[in-house]
């Protein structure tokens, strides 16, 4: 799914009509409201890919705490943002995963990451495009790629 304008509507429809829905790939900003909606509507999600996205650090922690059945999480080529304590309207890019996130993610079967913003082309593209990758600028079909084989089209 590209960025979703109305997560409650979409996730409620999925929850009501797709009993076996277990995997989701989202490309675009991942904020707290989105995480809360995902947790409340699709609590049995097993696989989530947020590759090439801007991810709010608090939203990531909510997912790790709230999706109890989550087995696979892909945040490759994404970057974490958190609000600056002294300037709440300013977002700060987090360059490394901290112990809190690593500890919470340790229960997963697979936690896929790549935060090599110095050397990885996809990480650089995500950051340059501010977490909303402009796929049309790059190789055709690049948006189909995923480190999770079941989500790789």
């Amino acid at each position: 799914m590209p960025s979703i304008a109305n997560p409650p509507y979409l996730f409620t429809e999925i929850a009501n009509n797709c009993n076996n829905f277990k995997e989701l790939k989202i490309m675009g900003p991942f904020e707290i409201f989105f995480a809360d909606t995902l947790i409340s509507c699709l609590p049995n999600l097993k696989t989530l890919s947020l590759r090439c996205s801007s991810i709010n650090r608090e939203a990531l922690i909510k997912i790790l705490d709230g999706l109890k059945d989550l087995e696979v999480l892909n945040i490759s080529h994404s970057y974490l943002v958190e609000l600056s304590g002294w300037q709440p309207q300013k977002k700060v890019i987090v360059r490394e995963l901290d112990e809190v996130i690593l500890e919470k993610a340790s229960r997963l079967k697979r936690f896929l990451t790549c935060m090599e913003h110095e050397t990885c082309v996809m990480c650089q593209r995500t950051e340059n495009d501010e977490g909303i990758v402009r796929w049309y600028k790059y190789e055709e079909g690049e948006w189909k790629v995923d480190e999770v084989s079941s989500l790789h089209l």
Side-chain angles (χ1 to χ4, degrees):
M1 295 295 301
S3 296
I4 300 169
N6 188 348
Y9 172 77
L10 179 63
F11 292 153
T12 299
E13 288 299 311
I14 290 171
N16 291 337
N17 296 293
C18 305
N19 295 333
N20 296 322
F21 193 86
K22 300 291 181 204
E23 298 184 328
L24 179 63
K25 176 179 180 175
I26 296 171
M27 298 178 289
F30 191 76
E31 301 291 338
I32 294 170
F33 174 69
F34 201 111
D36 285 339
T37 305
L38 191 59
I39 292 164
S40 66
C41 294
L42 299 172
N44 300 321
L45 200 63
K46 292 199 179 294
T47 301
L48 177 62
S49 179
L50 303 173
R51 77 183 307 268
C52 300
S53 298
S54 168
I55 304 170
N56 178 291
R57 182 183 175 280
E58 190 176 331
L60 178 59
I61 290 172
K62 282 183 173 273
I63 286 296
L64 290 168
D65 286 341
L67 292 178
K68 303 294 186 197
D69 293 338
L70 192 65
E71 297 175 353
V72 179
L73 178 60
N74 182 12
I75 63 167
S76 296
H77 318 300
S78 297
Y79 63 89
L80 297 179
V81 294
E82 61 184 350
L83 300 178
S84 170
W86 52 278
Q87 283 184 307
Q89 72 278 12
K90 183 175 179 169
K91 293 181 178 179
V92 176
I93 294 177
V94 178
R95 297 282 178 202
E96 295 181 19
L97 297 173
D98 59 50
E99 287 301 317
V100 172
I101 293 171
L102 293 173
E103 174 65 29
K104 290 178 182 293
S106 67
R107 71 168 178 82
L108 302 173
K109 289 182 180 177
R110 293 182 67 204
F111 181 50
L112 303 154
T113 66
C114 176
M115 297 178 76
E116 302 296 326
H117 296 273
E118 303 283 326
T119 58
C120 175
V121 171
M122 286 309 300
C123 287
Q124 291 169 4
R125 288 175 179 174
T126 300
E127 193 166 330
N128 290 340
D129 291 343
E130 298 176 346
I132 306 173
V133 177
R134 308 317 189 269
W135 296 104
Y136 60 85
K137 297 189 315 187
Y138 308 116
E139 298 84 3
E140 186 174 332
E142 186 67 25
W143 65 272
K144 297 178 182 181
V145 174
D146 202 290
E147 290 74 16
V148 178
S149 59
S150 60
L151 296 174
H152 183 90
L153 303 177

